[in-house]
Amino acid sequence: MAAQFNGFGEKALPFLKALNFHQSREWFQENRALFEQDLREPLGDLIDVLSERFGETGIALKGDRKKSQFRINRDVRFSKDKRPYTDHVSAILSPDGTKMEQGVFFVHVGLERCFAAVAWWQPAPPLLQAMRMAIVEKPKVFRAMVSALKKNGLKIGAEGQLKRAPRGFEAVTEPDLAAAVRNRHFVVRHEIEPGRIHSPALADELFDFVRRARPLLDWGRAIEGRVARS
């Protein structure tokens, strides 16, 4: 049977708002059934639907309805903020279905914002270096990828961008390339209207976003493959 997503429950965001106010294990346990029904299970359905659709169209992203979700419990061991719960739910789909890979899809449903992203987030130094070298050594390929994203209504973000050129790239002067080699991540985002999370059409919206973001995935994947073979 094909996977099905019917949207997040109508009480999904009100639940997160109330949880953020109470920040109490007792309150959470009393309302766990609502969390499961309106947030956790729908997010699992969304993971299943997208994994199935990505597989059918040759996009190397997949997830597990339980393991791909991030815990709503916060890790407070090394944080001054001791609130036990987050104000959002989120999940990641990756090439092998784990949270440890690069070139991933991420979805976040929360109080402050709802969004999705396709990302190469904090690549390990060898991969990041290879990406920077590819930008400089094959600028036409990089610019073609950027142009394809632009045509699809997307743009690589500058979040976390270095203020100065990384070592070895000081001589890069062309503005677009100089900015690109300062990136520590390569990410495109898609904002989700909060009201849309309750619609089954959200799965179509997110699938279309990933389809439009595929040039970034393919660009990074080709570089990653060369690093793995070296």
Side-chain angles (χ1 to χ4, degrees), residues 155-192:
K155 180 181 179 181
I156 296 174
E159 182 179 354
Q161 193 176 69
L162 299 175
K163 294 182 178 180
R164 297 181 180 179
R167 183 177 300 178
F169 295 90
E170 296 86 353
V172 181
T173 57
E174 295 178 79
D176 61 330
L177 303 183
V181 297
R182 296 202 310 272
N183 283 339
R184 294 191 298 119
H185 327 287
F186 294 88
V187 185
V188 292
R189 296 181 186 272
H190 171 75
E191 296 296 327
I192 303 169

Side-chain angles (χ1 to χ4, degrees), residues 101-102 117 151 159-160 163 165-166 194 212:
E101 287 287 300
Q102 281 291 339
K151 184 178 179 181
E159 182 179 354
K163 294 182 178 180
R212 291 185 290 116

Side-chain angles (χ1 to χ4, degrees), residues 19-59:
L19 176 62
N20 197 45
F21 173 79
H22 290 283
Q23 287 293 336
S24 159
R25 184 178 185 277
E26 291 73 22
W27 186 91
F28 180 79
Q29 292 300 330
E30 288 174 4
N31 294 274
R32 177 181 282 275
L34 182 58
F35 168 69
E36 296 286 345
Q37 174 184 307
D38 281 31
L39 284 159
R40 185 171 174 81
E41 286 304 312
L43 183 54
D45 294 340
L46 183 61
I47 291 166
D48 285 346
V49 167
L50 290 176
S51 296
E52 188 174 283
R53 294 189 66 178
F54 291 153
E56 291 171 351
T57 51
I59 298 174

